[in-house]
Amino acid sequence: MGKLDFIYQRKSVRSFQATSIPAEDLRQILAAATQAPSGKNLQNWHFVVVRNGHKIAEITKIVEDKNAQMAAFLTEEKARSFRGLLPYYTVFRGAPVLVLAYGGPYPASDLQGCAEPRVVEAAKTSQLARPGIQNVAAAMENLLLAAAALGYGGCWMTGPTFAAKEISACLGFAKEDYQLLAVTPLGVPATALGSPPRKELEEVVTFID
């Protein structure tokens, strides 16, 4: 087995067996997530792990209801598209575990607060990198790679976050200045999955020697 095979084992899994995940495996997966790099070593992530099937069903219903509510305010074409995405927003409904990734504050750049136009422009550019969110994204990737290495599957999702407020209320979770950024179901894949096509390296990589 190649040293990097664990990366290629990760797939986006959207259907799961009913098999539960042992607590020790979950702890290993979450511990791997917390080993991700983070700017200024802030580790501004918090994971909420839901193993209660009834609670996962409640969250599914919350996303369905919020989808319908929001669609009512859209044009017919956009509403049709938004409603059409609902099955993708709720693929966690049959998973034995749902992990919700929250992100906390990240200090503003030292460039903030200066009126000099060149500094204002540089500050605006630096904020586009969203370093606080990148920290949580790195942890999510670690989590999914660890899950795949242990024989489980997940699916990185941000779609359900349009119902973040209602989901957090359902969970009874509140941490000051933390917001829901992503979710992933976890479980044993129901079927074997292939790999979707990837762009050629020449299209996405520039070498400068």
Side-chain angles (χ1 to χ4, degrees):
M1 178 177 288
K3 291 182 178 180
L4 297 181
D5 281 1
F6 74 98
I7 290 177
Y8 298 92
Q9 290 170 5
R10 189 214 61 79
K11 316 291 182 187
S12 292
V13 178
R14 297 179 175 86
S15 60
F16 304 89
Q17 297 180 22
T19 310
S20 61
I21 301 178
E24 182 53 36
D25 284 358
L26 274 177
R27 291 189 67 85
Q28 286 190 62
I29 291 168
L30 293 161
T34 66
Q35 292 301 305
S38 66
K40 302 177 183 178
N41 196 31
L42 283 185
Q43 304 174 52
N44 60 313
W45 46 61
H46 190 106
F47 297 96
V48 176
V49 183
V50 184
R51 293 180 286 184
N52 183 306
H54 295 296
K55 186 62 69 174
I56 293 175
E58 284 183 43
I59 295 171
T60 302
K61 184 66 163 53
I62 285 171
V63 175
E64 291 172 339
D65 290 347
K66 189 67 177 283
N67 179 275
Q69 292 169 13
M70 296 301 99
F73 295 100
L74 304 177
T75 64
E76 182 177 348
E77 181 180 355
K78 289 185 176 181
R80 188 183 310 113
S81 174
F82 188 55
R83 286 193 296 264
L85 290 171
L86 184 58
Y88 299 98
Y89 292 159
T90 55
V91 296
F92 56 80
R93 69 168 70 242
V97 175
L98 178 62
V99 179
L100 301 96
Y102 285 78
Y106 190 88
S109 165
D110 293 335
L111 298 174
Q112 297 290 329
C114 178
E116 162 60 41
R118 288 170 295 184
V119 176
V120 170
E121 180 62 27
K124 184 185 301 183
T125 301
S126 71
Q127 286 306 299
L128 292 176
R130 301 290 192 272
I133 292 178
Q134 286 200 44
N135 294 343
V136 180
M140 276 289 288
E141 180 69 353
N142 270 21
L143 186 152
L144 290 169
L145 290 173
L150 292 178
Y152 304 107
C155 185
W156 191 327
M157 305 168 63
T158 59
T161 59
F162 67 81
K165 181 179 179 180
E166 292 84 355
I167 291 172
S168 296
C170 172
L171 295 171
F173 175 77
K175 189 170 183 176
E176 187 174 2
D177 295 328
Y178 273 67
Q179 61 179 330
L180 179 62
L181 297 181
V183 307
T184 180
L186 285 181
V188 178
T191 58
L193 296 173
S195 297
R198 294 289 172 170
K199 295 179 179 179
E200 296 294 331
L201 282 183
E202 290 73 17
E203 185 178 350
V204 298
V205 177
T206 299
F207 291 98
I208 301 176
D209 297 320

